[in-house]
Amino acid sequence: MNKNCSTKFLNGRAYTTLAFVLLLALVLGVSGMASAQESTYLKFRGGIGVIPVTGVAANGIATLNVVRGINPAGPWRIADLSADVNYEGRIRVKGRGLLLAAGNGIGTNAGASVFATLFCGAANTATVHSSNRVALDADGDFRIDEVLSPAPPTSCDTPVLLIRNGAGAGVWFAAGIPELK
């Protein structure tokens, strides 16, 4: 075999090996991304600001909008909310524009701090899993990146995510909208 032929063969083999290694890295990278996405088992996209009253009875008594045993705050609005919960109980929440929607403080954050509470199960037997609290930015934006305590079960039936006031009894300000699979 002459030297030119030997060099071409080795270069061809090197290119083939390099192409194989790159293809393998691409396949492993894509499968790694897929398993990272699969570790998220609950997603919430969009938020609903609290409406404190669901109705008024004939006798004039208001019916509070109590969710999973948690009382409502006064009217609050939220511009956007997204949240992901993984199997280890890590919750990542990004909220925008959580602001008062009534009263003299309308359009402000009222100096509030918030935390996330995930309820798993039917309303009367739901388990409760909460994050630590974080302060609202002046424009009502917030981020929560925490591990829920206690960690939720690996299967969370009828999930409800509430964003709650970090002070006092922890009334709710907003709810996440579950993303259906």
Side-chain angles (χ1 to χ4, degrees):
M1 201 151 63
N2 71 28
K3 194 172 187 175
N4 283 343
C5 187
S6 173
T7 301
K8 286 181 184 176
F9 175 76
L10 289 175
N11 283 343
R13 185 178 219 172
Y15 286 126
T16 303
T17 302
L18 179 60
F20 177 77
V21 168
L22 289 174
L23 180 62
L24 182 62
L26 178 64
V27 167
L28 290 175
V30 169
S31 69
M33 287 189 313
S35 37
Q37 290 172 348
E38 288 171 1
S39 71
T40 298
Y41 82 105
L42 290 174
K43 293 182 182 189
F44 298 84
R45 298 295 179 259
I48 302 165
V50 65
I51 300 168
V53 175
T54 59
V56 178
N59 62 5
I61 296 176
T63 303
L64 292 179
N65 189 3
V66 176
V67 176
R68 301 286 201 233
I70 307 300
N71 286 325
W76 283 72
R77 57 85 71 189
I78 190 162
D80 192 30
L81 181 106
S82 65
D84 296 317
V85 181
N86 73 13
Y87 286 107
E88 290 78 40
R90 176 163 296 280
I91 186 167
R92 289 186 174 96
V93 183
K94 181 180 177 186
R96 288 189 321 102
L98 182 60
L99 300 169
L100 276 169
N104 290 331
I106 193 166
T108 70
N109 71 5
S113 61
V114 296
F115 65 98
T117 298
L118 174 68
F119 297 86
C120 295
N124 57 347
T125 60
T127 58
V128 181
H129 316 275
S130 295
S131 73
N132 290 318
R133 65 184 171 162
V134 298
L136 290 176
D137 293 343
D139 59 2
D141 292 356
F142 65 96
R143 287 183 185 266
I144 297 171
D145 187 355
E146 298 275 337
V147 175
L148 293 170
S149 179
T154 55
S155 176
C156 183
D157 298 326
T158 61
V160 172
L161 179 68
L162 295 181
I163 304 304
R164 299 172 59 193
N165 184 346
V171 295
W172 71 276
F173 287 164
I177 301 170
E179 184 177 88
L180 303 175
K181 295 178 183 187

